[in-house]
Amino acid sequence: MSVAEQIRTIAAEARQASFAMAKLSSAVKNELLLDMAHGLVNNCEQIIAENKKDLEAGKERGLSTAMLDRLMLNEVRIKGMADAIREVAALPDPVGEVTGMWKRPNDLMVGKMRIPLGVIGIIYESRPNVTSDAAVLCLKSGNAVVLRGGSEAIHSNLAIAEILKAELAKRNIPAAALSLIPFTEREGVTEMLKQEEFIDVIIPRGGESLIRFVVENSKIPVIKHYKGVCHIFVDATADFDMARDIIINAKVQRPGVCNALETLLIHKDVAERFVPFIFQALSEQKVEVRGDEEFRRFAPQAGAATEEDWYAEYLELILAARVVDDMDAAIDHINRYCSLHTESIITGDYGNAQRFIREVNSGVVMVNASTRFSDGNQLGLGAEIGISTTKLHSFGPMGLTDLTTTKFIVYGSGQVRS
Amino acid sequence: MSVAEQIRTIAAEARQASFAMAKLSSAVKNELLLDMAHGLVNNCEQIIAENKKDLEAGKERGLSTAMLDRLMLNEVRIKGMADAIREVAALPDPVGEVTGMWKRPNDLMVGKMRIPLGVIGIIYESRPNVTSDAAVLCLKSGNAVVLRGGSEAIHSNLAIAEILKAELAKRNIPAAALSLIPFTEREGVTEMLKQEEFIDVIIPRGGESLIRFVVENSKIPVIKHYKGVCHIFVDATADFDMARDIIINAKVQRPGVCNALETLLIHKDVAERFVPFIFQALSEQKVEVRGDEEFRRFAPQAGAATEEDWYAEYLELILAARVVDDMDAAIDHINRYCSLHTESIITGDYGNAQRFIREVNSGVVMVNASTRFSDGNQLGLGAEIGISTTKLHSFGPMGLTDLTTTKFIVYGSGQVRS
């Protein structure tokens, strides 16, 4: 069979397996996940041996030390993967939840019930822990899953997938409920993206170029997030110390992630006092600030921002900063430049807080909190399957329920339509 | 400007107008809609005059009498369109609804708030009432809307759109919140489908070929429904009279619509008595029945079903019928052949009713009720914008809330992430 045919077979079998997955009770799914966690720990040495092959190949290909570190698995990391599976097992099962029910004038009882989406395709890069993290979220929510990891982690990913699949077999669940595409060629991705008959949604996890490739080539709906250009707006009534603590946390605590702060907006009424204050605090943390003209009037040592800086996702210790006339100007700036990820206002004014919450339509909108909380776990969803910066189906961080949909259920007693 | 440039401009201006739409209060939106209803009635003669042009062109092009009737507008029908707008005005506004809120261990208050999707594209055929029906659903849910109706109704659609837009202008709402593509060439559709930067979702309303064309050519997510191959399963414990009334209603009351019955499944334990009983009732209603071998054993006058019949959406007085061994066989048949639209079980058995509700994963799953209730209005959603037989974003009949998404809202008091 050609690669294309094999991938079509994998997808078709996943569709078939999804019917069995949808019927599993929460108890069976939880036991399955706990056994999978156990399986990973028990087969630690096998995983590490396969991971060594990837590491050696990676060294030959000249991967950076950082890349090799992301690829590396050891006993501690495998235990961490098992713990992550146990956390998913402990989450409430969304499937079967009735999210509402009402009675019609003709006594029909109409409700909505959560059901799995069907078959989820996950396309990801480098870190092999995504293999188990993503797989168990899909399985717990009653879906079948088709995984396609990066070529640099192929041996590790195959070893992990085999161990997880062994637990399916023990419970007579079709093995096709969890598949890993065994091909490292790009064709493996492009063929997978053509299986719209069998795969319901694709969730890519990785850098912007991977995501753009997936979106360009997919016939299947893609839930995606390109980047996070997150804003904090310091209102005229902001508490300066609170603002500083939140800004430093949002920019400095982990600058390389999508919920880190990239652009700071400051109300002009407090610019004269706040700009020097925050510029000093940021400089102490080695943050390079690129300000507009008004910002630099009060912090002449700051660099000059250009139009490009308002669009930038730096992912490092650089911050764009701008003084704005008022709330309207702040919201206009955000509407124009944001990536619909996360924005926060620092304010003491009740009305402005409510207005910001209402009028800024990013996936996560905050008052007096660090953008770093924009994460499924931190917001209380449990483990995160990804984040969406497009509004269809899911918007913002996604947890288990985002891997489900609702069907209408109707209890009648012989009603016919007149 | 070329057609392509003009359509891009329409879409870009719709995006800009969507920010203003998202901020409108429910009161303003409701007043706007009521004035739009008034505007249609007041300008009845103008609409009828433009409609005449479409009717004359249609006659010249040789449209069928049925097509011309669907196209025709008169005073009564325009009043009906105005009434439909008033019904939408009376529906609760989904925007701003907080669908849940919870407290995190660090005292962050996290919730989800409904917001508009942004810009909705509607592509539809023939009936000009869709112009106002679809437009007001999009506007009421705080979206901007770009409409593209059929070429055969272009004069009527333009007239209706202009009257509705005049009401936007009176309230200083950007006119681009409601646009109708003024080009009748197919290029008008294909260019619209490329505006993924400005249009958030496309909802096509029309025949299967229109919908397939839209799906094939769209870079924008499409919420769609190809067809409705709806099933009724008569269980061994079904009340025969109830089963007959429901089957006749589902098949005969309006056979040309997507929620009409297309395939009947009968439990073998009652086949000997039920098959002749229902065959007679269907024959009296002039329904042609195409049965499998077992069905024809008890109703020899019935035609013979082939494999193709199980996939057929007849949309006329033809019914496929099959005797099945048990619930498992019925559910297997449905999983294999259904279009994920609507399925119903007729049963007196509690366990089988609950199992059918749980295990059949179509958009609408019913017990002891006619499939004809599978409609937004009948299920209590108010006016229907369409129906989805794919699971992403919406599944089943769609109302106002399906034109919204939710963002996370976070109320903090200075929290930073550790």
Side-chain angles (χ1 to χ4, degrees), chain A residues 102 249 354 357 360 363 367-368 372 379 393 407-408 412 414 417, chain B residues 102 249 357 360 363 367-368 372 379 393 407-408 411-412 414 417:
Chain A
W102 53 93
N249 182 257
Q354 294 298 77
I357 286 280
V360 175
V367 178
N368 293 341
R372 292 278 295 113
L379 296 180
H393 187 70
K407 67 181 174 190
F408 285 89
R417 191 159 165 191
Chain B
W102 53 94
N249 183 255
I357 286 280
V360 174
V367 179
N368 294 342
R372 291 277 297 114
L379 295 179
H393 188 70
K407 66 182 175 189
F408 284 89
Y411 291 101
R417 191 158 165 192

PDB file of all heavy atoms in Angstrom, chain A residues 102 249 354 357 360 363 367-368 372 379 393 407-408 412 414 417, chain B residues 102 249 357 360 363 367-368 372 379 393 407-408 411-412 414 417:
ATOM      1  N   TRP A 102     -35.844  21.625  28.267  1.00  0.00           N
ATOM      2  CA  TRP A 102     -37.016  22.487  28.405  1.00  0.00           C
ATOM      3  C   TRP A 102     -38.232  21.782  27.816  1.00  0.00           C
ATOM      4  O   TRP A 102     -38.099  20.860  27.020  1.00  0.00           O
ATOM      5  CB  TRP A 102     -36.772  23.832  27.730  1.00  0.00           C
ATOM      6  CG  TRP A 102     -36.314  23.762  26.300  1.00  0.00           C
ATOM      7  CD1 TRP A 102     -37.103  23.808  25.186  1.00  0.00           C
ATOM      8  CD2 TRP A 102     -34.970  23.616  25.806  1.00  0.00           C
ATOM      9  NE1 TRP A 102     -36.346  23.710  24.047  1.00  0.00           N
ATOM     10  CE2 TRP A 102     -35.036  23.591  24.391  1.00  0.00           C
ATOM     11  CE3 TRP A 102     -33.721  23.503  26.427  1.00  0.00           C
ATOM     12  CZ2 TRP A 102     -33.906  23.455  23.580  1.00  0.00           C
ATOM     13  CZ3 TRP A 102     -32.590  23.366  25.610  1.00  0.00           C
ATOM     14  CH2 TRP A 102     -32.685  23.341  24.216  1.00  0.00           C
ATOM     15  N   ASN A 249       5.364  40.380  35.857  1.00  0.00           N
ATOM     16  CA  ASN A 249       5.021  38.961  35.802  1.00  0.00           C
ATOM     17  C   ASN A 249       4.666  38.555  34.376  1.00  0.00           C
ATOM     18  O   ASN A 249       5.132  37.531  33.858  1.00  0.00           O
ATOM     19  CB  ASN A 249       3.847  38.672  36.742  1.00  0.00           C
ATOM     20  CG  ASN A 249       3.463  37.195  36.776  1.00  0.00           C
ATOM     21  OD1 ASN A 249       2.476  36.795  36.180  1.00  0.00           O
ATOM     22  ND2 ASN A 249       4.262  36.387  37.464  1.00  0.00           N
ATOM     23  N   GLN A 354     -15.643  47.179  33.681  1.00  0.00           N
ATOM     24  CA  GLN A 354     -16.779  46.513  33.045  1.00  0.00           C
ATOM     25  C   GLN A 354     -16.793  46.773  31.542  1.00  0.00           C
ATOM     26  O   GLN A 354     -17.121  45.905  30.750  1.00  0.00           O
ATOM     27  CB  GLN A 354     -18.101  46.971  33.680  1.00  0.00           C
ATOM     28  CG  GLN A 354     -18.275  46.549  35.134  1.00  0.00           C
ATOM     29  CD  GLN A 354     -18.303  45.032  35.302  1.00  0.00           C
ATOM     30  OE1 GLN A 354     -17.266  44.358  35.253  1.00  0.00           O
ATOM     31  NE2 GLN A 354     -19.489  44.491  35.517  1.00  0.00           N
ATOM     32  N   ILE A 357     -14.121  44.594  29.861  1.00  0.00           N
ATOM     33  CA  ILE A 357     -14.610  43.208  29.805  1.00  0.00           C
ATOM     34  C   ILE A 357     -15.623  43.056  28.671  1.00  0.00           C
ATOM     35  O   ILE A 357     -15.617  42.080  27.923  1.00  0.00           O
ATOM     36  CB  ILE A 357     -15.258  42.824  31.162  1.00  0.00           C
ATOM     37  CG1 ILE A 357     -14.183  42.598  32.225  1.00  0.00           C
ATOM     38  CG2 ILE A 357     -16.201  41.624  31.028  1.00  0.00           C
ATOM     39  CD1 ILE A 357     -13.500  41.253  32.193  1.00  0.00           C
ATOM     40  N   VAL A 360     -13.793  44.453  24.730  1.00  0.00           N
ATOM     41  CA  VAL A 360     -12.630  43.798  24.125  1.00  0.00           C
ATOM     42  C   VAL A 360     -12.999  42.343  23.866  1.00  0.00           C
ATOM     43  O   VAL A 360     -13.351  41.617  24.789  1.00  0.00           O
ATOM     44  CB  VAL A 360     -11.391  43.906  25.033  1.00  0.00           C
ATOM     45  CG1 VAL A 360     -10.225  43.108  24.452  1.00  0.00           C
ATOM     46  CG2 VAL A 360     -10.995  45.367  25.194  1.00  0.00           C
ATOM     47  N   GLY A 363      -9.996  36.143  23.141  1.00  0.00           N
ATOM     48  CA  GLY A 363     -10.353  34.873  23.772  1.00  0.00           C
ATOM     49  C   GLY A 363     -10.387  34.960  25.285  1.00  0.00           C
ATOM     50  O   GLY A 363     -11.218  34.308  25.934  1.00  0.00           O
ATOM     51  N   VAL A 367      -9.281  41.742  34.106  1.00  0.00           N
ATOM     52  CA  VAL A 367      -9.137  42.965  34.891  1.00  0.00           C
ATOM     53  C   VAL A 367      -8.162  42.670  36.025  1.00  0.00           C
ATOM     54  O   VAL A 367      -8.326  41.670  36.751  1.00  0.00           O
ATOM     55  CB  VAL A 367     -10.482  43.407  35.505  1.00  0.00           C
ATOM     56  CG1 VAL A 367     -10.301  44.655  36.366  1.00  0.00           C
ATOM     57  CG2 VAL A 367     -11.518  43.656  34.422  1.00  0.00           C
ATOM     58  N   ASN A 368      -7.164  43.501  36.166  1.00  0.00           N
ATOM     59  CA  ASN A 368      -6.235  43.423  37.303  1.00  0.00           C
ATOM     60  C   ASN A 368      -5.656  42.023  37.521  1.00  0.00           C
ATOM     61  O   ASN A 368      -5.640  41.509  38.649  1.00  0.00           O
ATOM     62  CB  ASN A 368      -6.924  43.912  38.588  1.00  0.00           C
ATOM     63  CG  ASN A 368      -7.240  45.405  38.520  1.00  0.00           C
ATOM     64  OD1 ASN A 368      -6.665  46.138  37.715  1.00  0.00           O
ATOM     65  ND2 ASN A 368      -8.156  45.855  39.374  1.00  0.00           N
ATOM     66  N   ARG A 372      -0.506  35.924  32.030  1.00  0.00           N
ATOM     67  CA  ARG A 372       0.037  34.564  32.167  1.00  0.00           C
ATOM     68  C   ARG A 372      -0.995  33.554  32.674  1.00  0.00           C
ATOM     69  O   ARG A 372      -0.785  32.351  32.601  1.00  0.00           O
ATOM     70  CB  ARG A 372       1.273  34.574  33.075  1.00  0.00           C
ATOM     71  CG  ARG A 372       2.474  35.276  32.482  1.00  0.00           C
ATOM     72  CD  ARG A 372       3.269  34.392  31.523  1.00  0.00           C
ATOM     73  NE  ARG A 372       3.859  33.268  32.247  1.00  0.00           N
ATOM     74  CZ  ARG A 372       3.503  32.001  32.081  1.00  0.00           C
ATOM     75  NH1 ARG A 372       2.562  31.668  31.220  1.00  0.00           N
ATOM     76  NH2 ARG A 372       4.096  31.056  32.775  1.00  0.00           N
ATOM     77  N   LEU A 379      -7.123  28.562  34.329  1.00  0.00           N
ATOM     78  CA  LEU A 379      -8.498  29.065  34.329  1.00  0.00           C
ATOM     79  C   LEU A 379      -9.482  28.040  34.884  1.00  0.00           C
ATOM     80  O   LEU A 379     -10.669  28.317  35.017  1.00  0.00           O
ATOM     81  CB  LEU A 379      -8.916  29.483  32.917  1.00  0.00           C
ATOM     82  CG  LEU A 379      -8.140  30.653  32.309  1.00  0.00           C
ATOM     83  CD1 LEU A 379      -8.643  30.974  30.905  1.00  0.00           C
ATOM     84  CD2 LEU A 379      -8.238  31.902  33.189  1.00  0.00           C
ATOM     85  N   HIS A 393     -16.479  27.354  17.038  1.00  0.00           N
ATOM     86  CA  HIS A 393     -16.425  26.172  17.900  1.00  0.00           C
ATOM     87  C   HIS A 393     -15.875  26.507  19.286  1.00  0.00           C
ATOM     88  O   HIS A 393     -16.565  26.314  20.270  1.00  0.00           O
ATOM     89  CB  HIS A 393     -15.636  25.024  17.276  1.00  0.00           C
ATOM     90  CG  HIS A 393     -15.733  23.765  18.080  1.00  0.00           C
ATOM     91  ND1 HIS A 393     -16.895  23.042  18.156  1.00  0.00           N
ATOM     92  CD2 HIS A 393     -14.844  23.132  18.886  1.00  0.00           C
ATOM     93  CE1 HIS A 393     -16.709  22.000  18.964  1.00  0.00           C
ATOM     94  NE2 HIS A 393     -15.481  22.035  19.414  1.00  0.00           N
ATOM     95  N   LYS A 407     -25.788  17.317  20.885  1.00  0.00           N
ATOM     96  CA  LYS A 407     -26.899  16.941  20.007  1.00  0.00           C
ATOM     97  C   LYS A 407     -28.194  17.298  20.726  1.00  0.00           C
ATOM     98  O   LYS A 407     -28.221  17.391  21.963  1.00  0.00           O
ATOM     99  CB  LYS A 407     -26.858  15.445  19.690  1.00  0.00           C
ATOM    100  CG  LYS A 407     -27.118  14.527  20.896  1.00  0.00           C
ATOM    101  CD  LYS A 407     -27.027  13.046  20.506  1.00  0.00           C
ATOM    102  CE  LYS A 407     -27.143  12.151  21.750  1.00  0.00           C
ATOM    103  NZ  LYS A 407     -26.820  10.742  21.449  1.00  0.00           N
ATOM    104  N   PHE A 408     -29.260  17.499  19.969  1.00  0.00           N
ATOM    105  CA  PHE A 408     -30.578  17.682  20.575  1.00  0.00           C
ATOM    106  C   PHE A 408     -31.149  16.314  20.930  1.00  0.00           C
ATOM    107  O   PHE A 408     -31.040  15.362  20.149  1.00  0.00           O
ATOM    108  CB  PHE A 408     -31.528  18.377  19.591  1.00  0.00           C
ATOM    109  CG  PHE A 408     -31.261  19.848  19.435  1.00  0.00           C
ATOM    110  CD1 PHE A 408     -30.363  20.302  18.493  1.00  0.00           C
ATOM    111  CD2 PHE A 408     -31.916  20.767  20.244  1.00  0.00           C
ATOM    112  CE1 PHE A 408     -30.110  21.657  18.342  1.00  0.00           C
ATOM    113  CE2 PHE A 408     -31.667  22.132  20.099  1.00  0.00           C
ATOM    114  CZ  PHE A 408     -30.761  22.583  19.153  1.00  0.00           C
ATOM    115  N   GLY A 412     -40.652  12.327  23.493  1.00  0.00           N
ATOM    116  CA  GLY A 412     -42.042  12.571  23.130  1.00  0.00           C
ATOM    117  C   GLY A 412     -42.960  11.502  23.676  1.00  0.00           C
ATOM    118  O   GLY A 412     -42.536  10.558  24.354  1.00  0.00           O
ATOM    119  N   GLY A 414     -45.713  10.529  21.401  1.00  0.00           N
ATOM    120  CA  GLY A 414     -46.570  10.339  20.237  1.00  0.00           C
ATOM    121  C   GLY A 414     -46.868  11.616  19.465  1.00  0.00           C
ATOM    122  O   GLY A 414     -47.710  11.611  18.567  1.00  0.00           O
ATOM    123  N   ARG A 417     -46.535  16.661  13.997  1.00  0.00           N
ATOM    124  CA  ARG A 417     -46.589  18.077  13.672  1.00  0.00           C
ATOM    125  C   ARG A 417     -47.848  18.389  12.867  1.00  0.00           C
ATOM    126  O   ARG A 417     -48.181  17.646  11.944  1.00  0.00           O
ATOM    127  CB  ARG A 417     -45.346  18.443  12.859  1.00  0.00           C
ATOM    128  CG  ARG A 417     -45.189  19.927  12.706  1.00  0.00           C
ATOM    129  CD  ARG A 417     -43.775  20.291  12.368  1.00  0.00           C
ATOM    130  NE  ARG A 417     -43.716  21.657  11.888  1.00  0.00           N
ATOM    131  CZ  ARG A 417     -42.662  22.209  11.326  1.00  0.00           C
ATOM    132  NH1 ARG A 417     -41.551  21.503  11.194  1.00  0.00           N
ATOM    133  NH2 ARG A 417     -42.699  23.459  10.932  1.00  0.00           N
TER     134      ARG A 417
ATOM    135  N   TRP B 102     -16.852  30.924  37.871  1.00  0.00           N
ATOM    136  CA  TRP B 102     -16.337  30.137  38.980  1.00  0.00           C
ATOM    137  C   TRP B 102     -15.132  30.829  39.602  1.00  0.00           C
ATOM    138  O   TRP B 102     -14.514  31.683  38.989  1.00  0.00           O
ATOM    139  CB  TRP B 102     -15.960  28.722  38.527  1.00  0.00           C
ATOM    140  CG  TRP B 102     -15.019  28.661  37.348  1.00  0.00           C
ATOM    141  CD1 TRP B 102     -13.669  28.569  37.394  1.00  0.00           C
ATOM    142  CD2 TRP B 102     -15.361  28.709  35.945  1.00  0.00           C
ATOM    143  NE1 TRP B 102     -13.145  28.555  36.113  1.00  0.00           N
ATOM    144  CE2 TRP B 102     -14.151  28.643  35.208  1.00  0.00           C
ATOM    145  CE3 TRP B 102     -16.575  28.800  35.251  1.00  0.00           C
ATOM    146  CZ2 TRP B 102     -14.128  28.659  33.812  1.00  0.00           C
ATOM    147  CZ3 TRP B 102     -16.530  28.824  33.857  1.00  0.00           C
ATOM    148  CH2 TRP B 102     -15.325  28.746  33.159  1.00  0.00           C
ATOM    149  N   ASN B 249     -47.064  11.106   9.554  1.00  0.00           N
ATOM    150  CA  ASN B 249     -46.754  12.537   9.708  1.00  0.00           C
ATOM    151  C   ASN B 249     -45.365  12.847   9.165  1.00  0.00           C
ATOM    152  O   ASN B 249     -45.167  13.806   8.415  1.00  0.00           O
ATOM    153  CB  ASN B 249     -46.853  12.931  11.183  1.00  0.00           C
ATOM    154  CG  ASN B 249     -46.613  14.419  11.406  1.00  0.00           C
ATOM    155  OD1 ASN B 249     -45.556  14.816  11.877  1.00  0.00           O
ATOM    156  ND2 ASN B 249     -47.584  15.257  11.040  1.00  0.00           N
ATOM    157  N   ILE B 357     -31.339   7.264  22.664  1.00  0.00           N
ATOM    158  CA  ILE B 357     -30.962   8.663  22.926  1.00  0.00           C
ATOM    159  C   ILE B 357     -29.453   8.771  23.120  1.00  0.00           C
ATOM    160  O   ILE B 357     -28.797   9.689  22.628  1.00  0.00           O
ATOM    161  CB  ILE B 357     -31.699   9.176  24.195  1.00  0.00           C
ATOM    162  CG1 ILE B 357     -33.183   9.444  23.899  1.00  0.00           C
ATOM    163  CG2 ILE B 357     -31.012  10.403  24.792  1.00  0.00           C
ATOM    164  CD1 ILE B 357     -33.492  10.740  23.203  1.00  0.00           C
ATOM    165  N   VAL B 360     -27.260   6.975  19.528  1.00  0.00           N
ATOM    166  CA  VAL B 360     -27.396   7.526  18.175  1.00  0.00           C
ATOM    167  C   VAL B 360     -26.915   8.972  18.213  1.00  0.00           C
ATOM    168  O   VAL B 360     -27.436   9.787  18.973  1.00  0.00           O
ATOM    169  CB  VAL B 360     -28.849   7.432  17.673  1.00  0.00           C
ATOM    170  CG1 VAL B 360     -28.992   8.151  16.334  1.00  0.00           C
ATOM    171  CG2 VAL B 360     -29.267   5.974  17.542  1.00  0.00           C
ATOM    172  N   GLY B 363     -27.741  14.943  14.827  1.00  0.00           N
ATOM    173  CA  GLY B 363     -27.998  16.276  15.375  1.00  0.00           C
ATOM    174  C   GLY B 363     -29.234  16.321  16.266  1.00  0.00           C
ATOM    175  O   GLY B 363     -29.266  17.047  17.261  1.00  0.00           O
ATOM    176  N   VAL B 367     -37.431  10.230  20.803  1.00  0.00           N
ATOM    177  CA  VAL B 367     -38.218   9.079  21.223  1.00  0.00           C
ATOM    178  C   VAL B 367     -39.692   9.423  21.027  1.00  0.00           C
ATOM    179  O   VAL B 367     -40.149  10.481  21.502  1.00  0.00           O
ATOM    180  CB  VAL B 367     -37.988   8.744  22.714  1.00  0.00           C
ATOM    181  CG1 VAL B 367     -38.853   7.555  23.137  1.00  0.00           C
ATOM    182  CG2 VAL B 367     -36.527   8.457  22.983  1.00  0.00           C
ATOM    183  N   ASN B 368     -40.413   8.554  20.339  1.00  0.00           N
ATOM    184  CA  ASN B 368     -41.872   8.692  20.199  1.00  0.00           C
ATOM    185  C   ASN B 368     -42.300  10.083  19.743  1.00  0.00           C
ATOM    186  O   ASN B 368     -43.217  10.692  20.320  1.00  0.00           O
ATOM    187  CB  ASN B 368     -42.564   8.331  21.528  1.00  0.00           C
ATOM    188  CG  ASN B 368     -42.383   6.859  21.882  1.00  0.00           C
ATOM    189  OD1 ASN B 368     -42.048   6.051  21.015  1.00  0.00           O
ATOM    190  ND2 ASN B 368     -42.593   6.511  23.139  1.00  0.00           N
ATOM    191  N   ARG B 372     -40.420  15.498  11.924  1.00  0.00           N
ATOM    192  CA  ARG B 372     -40.774  16.834  11.436  1.00  0.00           C
ATOM    193  C   ARG B 372     -40.566  17.917  12.494  1.00  0.00           C
ATOM    194  O   ARG B 372     -40.579  19.106  12.185  1.00  0.00           O
ATOM    195  CB  ARG B 372     -42.212  16.841  10.936  1.00  0.00           C
ATOM    196  CG  ARG B 372     -42.410  16.037   9.667  1.00  0.00           C
ATOM    197  CD  ARG B 372     -42.046  16.825   8.401  1.00  0.00           C
ATOM    198  NE  ARG B 372     -42.937  17.968   8.265  1.00  0.00           N
ATOM    199  CZ  ARG B 372     -42.546  19.236   8.343  1.00  0.00           C
ATOM    200  NH1 ARG B 372     -41.272  19.523   8.568  1.00  0.00           N
ATOM    201  NH2 ARG B 372     -43.410  20.206   8.197  1.00  0.00           N
ATOM    202  N   LEU B 379     -38.267  23.280  18.074  1.00  0.00           N
ATOM    203  CA  LEU B 379     -37.512  22.833  19.258  1.00  0.00           C
ATOM    204  C   LEU B 379     -37.384  23.948  20.291  1.00  0.00           C
ATOM    205  O   LEU B 379     -36.840  23.732  21.376  1.00  0.00           O
ATOM    206  CB  LEU B 379     -36.127  22.327  18.839  1.00  0.00           C
ATOM    207  CG  LEU B 379     -36.118  21.067  17.951  1.00  0.00           C
ATOM    208  CD1 LEU B 379     -34.691  20.681  17.596  1.00  0.00           C
ATOM    209  CD2 LEU B 379     -36.828  19.907  18.635  1.00  0.00           C
ATOM    210  N   HIS B 393     -18.670  23.496  16.063  1.00  0.00           N
ATOM    211  CA  HIS B 393     -19.373  24.740  16.403  1.00  0.00           C
ATOM    212  C   HIS B 393     -20.837  24.491  16.758  1.00  0.00           C
ATOM    213  O   HIS B 393     -21.253  24.777  17.871  1.00  0.00           O
ATOM    214  CB  HIS B 393     -19.277  25.801  15.311  1.00  0.00           C
ATOM    215  CG  HIS B 393     -19.826  27.118  15.743  1.00  0.00           C
ATOM    216  ND1 HIS B 393     -19.194  27.898  16.681  1.00  0.00           N
ATOM    217  CD2 HIS B 393     -20.961  27.782  15.414  1.00  0.00           C
ATOM    218  CE1 HIS B 393     -19.908  28.991  16.897  1.00  0.00           C
ATOM    219  NE2 HIS B 393     -20.989  28.940  16.151  1.00  0.00           N
ATOM    220  N   LYS B 407     -16.206  34.207  25.102  1.00  0.00           N
ATOM    221  CA  LYS B 407     -14.837  34.547  25.494  1.00  0.00           C
ATOM    222  C   LYS B 407     -14.719  34.304  26.995  1.00  0.00           C
ATOM    223  O   LYS B 407     -15.730  34.306  27.712  1.00  0.00           O
ATOM    224  CB  LYS B 407     -14.531  36.007  25.160  1.00  0.00           C
ATOM    225  CG  LYS B 407     -15.344  37.022  25.962  1.00  0.00           C
ATOM    226  CD  LYS B 407     -15.012  38.464  25.548  1.00  0.00           C
ATOM    227  CE  LYS B 407     -15.935  39.466  26.273  1.00  0.00           C
ATOM    228  NZ  LYS B 407     -15.797  40.830  25.737  1.00  0.00           N
ATOM    229  N   PHE B 408     -13.505  34.099  27.461  1.00  0.00           N
ATOM    230  CA  PHE B 408     -13.270  34.017  28.906  1.00  0.00           C
ATOM    231  C   PHE B 408     -13.185  35.428  29.464  1.00  0.00           C
ATOM    232  O   PHE B 408     -12.560  36.300  28.860  1.00  0.00           O
ATOM    233  CB  PHE B 408     -11.958  33.287  29.203  1.00  0.00           C
ATOM    234  CG  PHE B 408     -12.034  31.801  29.032  1.00  0.00           C
ATOM    235  CD1 PHE B 408     -11.769  31.219  27.801  1.00  0.00           C
ATOM    236  CD2 PHE B 408     -12.369  30.978  30.090  1.00  0.00           C
ATOM    237  CE1 PHE B 408     -11.843  29.849  27.619  1.00  0.00           C
ATOM    238  CE2 PHE B 408     -12.441  29.605  29.932  1.00  0.00           C
ATOM    239  CZ  PHE B 408     -12.180  29.039  28.686  1.00  0.00           C
ATOM    240  N   TYR B 411     -11.946  38.366  36.402  1.00  0.00           N
ATOM    241  CA  TYR B 411     -11.891  39.483  37.345  1.00  0.00           C
ATOM    242  C   TYR B 411     -10.830  39.191  38.400  1.00  0.00           C
ATOM    243  O   TYR B 411     -10.964  38.243  39.167  1.00  0.00           O
ATOM    244  CB  TYR B 411     -13.248  39.697  38.015  1.00  0.00           C
ATOM    245  CG  TYR B 411     -14.340  40.219  37.090  1.00  0.00           C
ATOM    246  CD1 TYR B 411     -15.300  39.359  36.560  1.00  0.00           C
ATOM    247  CD2 TYR B 411     -14.403  41.569  36.760  1.00  0.00           C
ATOM    248  CE1 TYR B 411     -16.307  39.836  35.718  1.00  0.00           C
ATOM    249  CE2 TYR B 411     -15.409  42.047  35.915  1.00  0.00           C
ATOM    250  CZ  TYR B 411     -16.354  41.185  35.403  1.00  0.00           C
ATOM    251  OH  TYR B 411     -17.342  41.667  34.577  1.00  0.00           O
ATOM    252  N   GLY B 412      -9.782  40.003  38.435  1.00  0.00           N
ATOM    253  CA  GLY B 412      -8.709  39.790  39.401  1.00  0.00           C
ATOM    254  C   GLY B 412      -8.597  40.931  40.382  1.00  0.00           C
ATOM    255  O   GLY B 412      -9.335  41.918  40.318  1.00  0.00           O
ATOM    256  N   GLY B 414      -5.145  41.845  41.310  1.00  0.00           N
ATOM    257  CA  GLY B 414      -3.693  41.965  41.355  1.00  0.00           C
ATOM    258  C   GLY B 414      -2.947  40.639  41.274  1.00  0.00           C
ATOM    259  O   GLY B 414      -1.729  40.611  41.466  1.00  0.00           O
ATOM    260  N   ARG B 417       1.175  35.176  38.356  1.00  0.00           N
ATOM    261  CA  ARG B 417       1.411  33.733  38.317  1.00  0.00           C
ATOM    262  C   ARG B 417       2.770  33.413  38.933  1.00  0.00           C
ATOM    263  O   ARG B 417       3.752  34.097  38.661  1.00  0.00           O
ATOM    264  CB  ARG B 417       1.369  33.261  36.866  1.00  0.00           C
ATOM    265  CG  ARG B 417       1.336  31.759  36.758  1.00  0.00           C
ATOM    266  CD  ARG B 417       0.775  31.319  35.437  1.00  0.00           C
ATOM    267  NE  ARG B 417       1.093  29.918  35.224  1.00  0.00           N
ATOM    268  CZ  ARG B 417       0.947  29.278  34.078  1.00  0.00           C
ATOM    269  NH1 ARG B 417       0.479  29.932  33.022  1.00  0.00           N
ATOM    270  NH2 ARG B 417       1.266  28.003  33.964  1.00  0.00           N
TER     271      ARG B 417
END
